[in-house]
Amino acid sequence: MDLGHAACHFILQSFKPGQPSVGFQHAATWVTGLVALQDRMDLGRAACTQPAQQTSMHTRTLLLVAYVPQSAFIYNASVRDNILFGLPFEQERYDQAIAAAAVRPDLDNMQAGDKTEMGERGINLSGGQKQRISIARAVYADADVYLFDDPLSALDSKVAREVYNTCLMGVLRNKTRILVTNQLQFVSGANSVVFMQDGKIQEKGTYEELMKFDQGFAQLMSSAEVEQEGNGSDDDGDATLDEVAGPSSGHAPNGPASPKPASEEAQQKTPNQGQEAENGAAGEGRVQGTGKRGGLTETEGRSTGKVSFKMLMVYVNAMGGKFRFLVLMSWFLLVELCRVGATVWLSYWTGITDRPGGAPHSALWYLAIYAGVSGFQIVFQLSSTLLLKILSLAAARSMHNSMLKALLRAPLSFFHVTPTGRIINRLTKDTSDVDKNLADFAAFFLRSCLQLTSTIILVGVTTPFALPFLVPILLLFYFLYQYFQASVREVKRLDSISRSPVYSSIGEVINGLPTIRAYR
């Protein structure tokens, strides 16, 4: 059975509501109390993907689950939206949540308070700030079961102790709390302890019972006390499992070590000092933002009006310069000349047969000339198409490399204010349009202009009296073209920028899927 499912099955089936218990992750747990689990496991995928349920013969009660992962899930929205997580706003409940998670000092230091925008993955927050917002989200959810996957490891010791006392042992004292941790100082407060080693439950019971067993758990706690005495530590008895057991100890967790607070100096700071140090990361993100109060992400801009000649020259230069473009135009011109030549020769051939005495040459002679001109048209058409593809690929490669080079050399502040979905959109759909469609559309436009010009010239040569009647027709089509082009151009631009938020949302949902499933 999966480790996470096994542990949660034990916790939910072995304890009745109202009975204190703890599991140790090395684990600690409270059921309407605390369970401390002491081993490495992913509660998000194991226990939070489906709501916990209690079943009796006649009733079936759905338990609401709140999940705090070790890596906090923060999405691109305000601090308040990250805490509410889709729930309706209630002032008293909200104030209780931010007080329990010690978030208030951070909000006071933010430019727009809880309306300050958070970047993707909380890029403008420190690890401790992200984790405390995640804890506040869980408290606000007012769930029946709380799963804490070692969230206190991201906080310095003083702030972690404050959150532990005010949140886990305070506001949530009447809730079922399952804490996965390797910080031994929090185990003694648990109602039930589950000690795990190599993915298996080795010991379980209350803290006092496990200490009386004098086996792996008791030896681990004794080693922690001896090491603290040897180091002369003045800290609040805070020690992590990795610091005590070490990588070679038989009591070490099966997975990698949990991240340490930040530095030894951070552990010696007062709670306010530790929070002020964490606030520095938020300040750095806001400086590079939009300039609006609390804003961070810049609104995606778009061009308006006609495509400028300068922008057209950018694409021409990407194709290899003006000379290569003129060579391509000469091939288009040759194709059009052959087309016009074939049409003129066919008209001459049909007209000369109506003369008295008939045509001076055989039909085969006229057919051979027509076939020759048409053959040249086919050759020039194939050559122009081949040259167009070569130049379009060169332009696509040049523009993509230029964009990628600019992206790799962009400062970190650029990624603070630019959503990932916008970058993905530029490198996927927009790049695909440049690779496959832009050159073909441009070639179609140029060929159409040449055909229109040649047709007007032919009409002027053969029937010059028809030219005055063409003027109003051309003017009408020109105004229709301007109206249609303006509408299509703006629709294409809107369609292009509308995909960026979709890509960003998909990326955020994938990153936070365990958390989203837990709160559904």
Side-chain angles (χ1 to χ4, degrees), residues 157 278 305 307 317-318 374 513 515:
S157 59
E278 290 173 344
V307 179
N317 292 330
S374 299
L513 200 55
T515 304

Side-chain angles (χ1 to χ4, degrees), residues 332-505:
F332 287 163
L333 183 60
L334 289 174
V335 171
E336 188 58 26
L337 289 176
C338 289
R339 187 189 71 82
V340 173
T343 302
V344 172
W345 180 256
L346 187 61
S347 176
Y348 171 76
W349 181 15
T350 55
I352 201 172
T353 55
D354 296 334
R355 294 180 182 179
H361 302 285
S362 64
L364 185 60
W365 186 81
Y366 292 101
L367 183 62
I369 294 178
Y370 180 77
V373 175
S374 299
F376 278 113
Q377 180 183 356
I378 294 174
V379 172
F380 292 150
Q381 181 70 45
L382 292 176
S383 300
S384 64
T385 302
L386 179 61
L387 182 59
L388 174 67
K389 295 303 179 182
I390 293 174
L391 295 183
S392 65
L393 288 176
R397 185 182 301 109
S398 175
M399 298 186 74
H400 176 269
N401 291 342
S402 177
M403 179 171 55
L404 190 60
K405 183 178 179 180
L407 185 64
L408 293 176
R409 294 187 176 185
L412 287 178
S413 59
F414 170 79
F415 298 97
H416 289 179
V417 301
T418 306
T420 305
R422 193 178 304 173
I423 299 175
I424 294 175
N425 188 21
R426 293 293 173 270
L427 291 172
T428 53
K429 185 61 171 65
D430 289 352
T431 301
S432 176
D433 288 339
V434 173
D435 293 347
K436 297 188 300 183
N437 300 328
L438 184 57
D440 291 336
F441 290 159
F444 177 78
F445 173 77
L446 294 174
R447 291 191 183 108
S448 299
C449 289
L450 290 174
Q451 290 179 7
L452 179 62
T453 303
S454 62
T455 301
I456 293 176
I457 293 175
L458 284 176
V459 170
V461 171
T462 56
T463 53
F465 60 87
L467 288 178
F469 299 99
L470 289 178
V471 173
I473 297 176
L474 292 176
L475 290 175
L476 176 62
F477 273 101
Y478 175 76
F479 288 119
L480 290 176
Y481 164 78
Q482 290 293 330
Y483 178 79
F484 169 78
Q485 185 66 14
S487 303
V488 171
R489 184 171 55 235
E490 297 307 314
V491 168
K492 293 291 290 183
R493 286 168 173 167
L494 291 173
D495 174 68
S496 179
I497 65 175
S498 64
R499 286 189 296 268
S500 299
V502 177
Y503 293 149
S504 295
S505 298

Side-chain angles (χ1 to χ4, degrees), residues 111 116-117 119 123-124 280-299 410-419 422:
Q111 187 178 13
T116 301
E117 182 182 3
I123 197 170
N124 56 327
E284 181 182 354
R286 290 195 306 272
V287 170
Q288 302 295 337
T290 60
K292 296 181 180 180
R293 180 176 175 80
L296 176 69
T297 304
E298 291 183 346
T299 304
L412 287 178
S413 59
F414 170 79
F415 298 97
H416 289 179
V417 301
T418 306
R422 193 178 304 173

